[in-house]
Amino acid sequence: PEPEIHCWVIRSKGEHPRARSLLSPAELDRAGRFHQSRLATQWSFFHSSLREILGRYLEHEPGKLAFNLAEHGKPCLVAFPELHFNLSHCGDSALVAVTRLAPVGVDLELERELQDMQSLAERCFSEAELDAFNTISPERRIASFFRIWTRKEAVLKASGLGLHLPLETFDVPCGPCENWSITQVRSKAVADGCFRLIGLDAVAGYAAALA
């Protein structure tokens, strides 16, 4: 239905049984370029599953869906532009959002120790986000970092601009975000800079967000 946004969690279970019949030649070529077979298998599983999910909504053979890339690289469906979707995967898990409401973005990241976490925060967070992050106690810094990271990434993906949208032009909530929050982008690159954002408790040990 028009006002709904559906989120799907996918867990990789090895080879997808229909990958070679579902994926396009370009997708099979992309999977074949991974240096590690495990990564190729996961990528194929997630993108085959994405086709199956979209095929259910459209009542269309998933292997015959044609994808295109928008100006800044965001995938879209050639024949069904009204169905918005986004895929994010990390490790053995993936998250897919599907809606007819508006362009959508999701991000999923495994919460883990990063040696350059502070320098990444200084480069990628807005001034307000960095101020909030620097007040976080040491035992909560990993969860806080990925909470902010996934929310910013979800907005970038929903905008369709990706990293062409300057990271310092918007602030995401740094605390709990269990209900919809409004994020305003301060950039002329986005015609309507108002995004709705929510944190997702999708997979244990992972941070996730939807915009």
Side-chain angles (χ1 to χ4, degrees), residues 28-69:
L28 290 170
D29 180 67
R30 168 77 182 274
R33 293 201 299 269
F34 283 94
H35 295 299
Q36 297 182 34
S37 60
R38 174 181 59 84
L39 298 178
T41 298
Q42 288 175 341
W43 192 94
S44 297
F45 192 99
F46 296 142
H47 284 260
S48 298
S49 299
L50 171 66
R51 282 179 167 275
E52 290 181 320
I53 290 169
L54 297 178
R56 291 186 190 184
Y57 285 100
L58 297 165
E59 297 181 347
H60 194 282
E61 174 56 47
K64 295 181 180 179
L65 290 172
F67 293 85
N68 197 5
L69 296 179

Side-chain angles (χ1 to χ4, degrees), residues 23-132:
L23 298 178
S24 69
E27 288 170 324
L28 290 170
D29 180 67
R30 168 77 182 274
R33 293 201 299 269
F34 283 94
H35 295 299
Q36 297 182 34
S37 60
R38 174 181 59 84
L39 298 178
T41 298
Q42 288 175 341
W43 192 94
S44 297
F45 192 99
F46 296 142
H47 284 260
S48 298
S49 299
L50 171 66
R51 282 179 167 275
E52 290 181 320
I53 290 169
L54 297 178
R56 291 186 190 184
Y57 285 100
L58 297 165
E59 297 181 347
H60 194 282
E61 174 56 47
K64 295 181 180 179
L65 290 172
F67 293 85
N68 197 5
L69 296 179
E71 181 181 358
H72 297 290
K74 186 177 182 180
C76 57
L77 288 164
V78 173
F80 306 97
E82 74 283 359
L83 190 69
H84 304 286
F85 67 93
N86 199 229
L87 165 70
S88 178
H89 54 87
C90 181
D92 65 354
S93 300
L95 187 63
V96 173
V98 183
T99 185
R100 298 182 188 274
L101 184 62
V104 68
V106 287
D107 193 47
L108 180 74
E109 296 287 346
L110 177 66
E111 295 180 354
R112 60 202 187 277
E113 183 70 57
L114 297 175
Q115 291 185 345
D116 57 348
M117 183 179 294
Q118 183 63 35
S119 62
L120 279 172
E122 292 171 359
R123 292 203 311 272
C124 300
F125 292 178
S126 69
E127 184 177 347
E129 293 161 351
L130 186 60
D131 286 346

Side-chain angles (χ1 to χ4, degrees), residues 84-196:
H84 304 286
F85 67 93
N86 199 229
L87 165 70
S88 178
H89 54 87
C90 181
D92 65 354
S93 300
L95 187 63
V96 173
V98 183
T99 185
R100 298 182 188 274
L101 184 62
V104 68
V106 287
D107 193 47
L108 180 74
E109 296 287 346
L110 177 66
E111 295 180 354
R112 60 202 187 277
E113 183 70 57
L114 297 175
Q115 291 185 345
D116 57 348
M117 183 179 294
Q118 183 63 35
S119 62
L120 279 172
E122 292 171 359
R123 292 203 311 272
C124 300
F125 292 178
S126 69
E127 184 177 347
E129 293 161 351
L130 186 60
D131 286 346
F133 177 70
N134 286 335
T135 67
I136 299 296
S137 58
E139 66 273 13
R140 294 170 51 216
R141 281 175 71 81
I142 293 177
S144 178
F145 175 87
F146 284 104
R147 176 187 292 167
I148 298 170
W149 183 278
T150 53
R151 293 171 186 178
K152 290 192 79 72
E153 194 64 38
V155 171
L156 292 177
K157 296 174 77 175
S159 74
L161 296 174
L163 289 174
H164 292 274
L165 178 63
L167 292 165
E168 70 275 9
T169 61
F170 63 98
D171 311 314
V172 300
C174 301
C177 189
E178 298 171 354
N179 298 308
W180 289 107
S181 172
I182 300 298
T183 293
Q184 186 70 40
V185 175
R186 305 176 294 273
S187 173
K188 294 181 180 179
V190 181
D192 180 2
C194 185
F195 290 83
R196 292 190 299 166

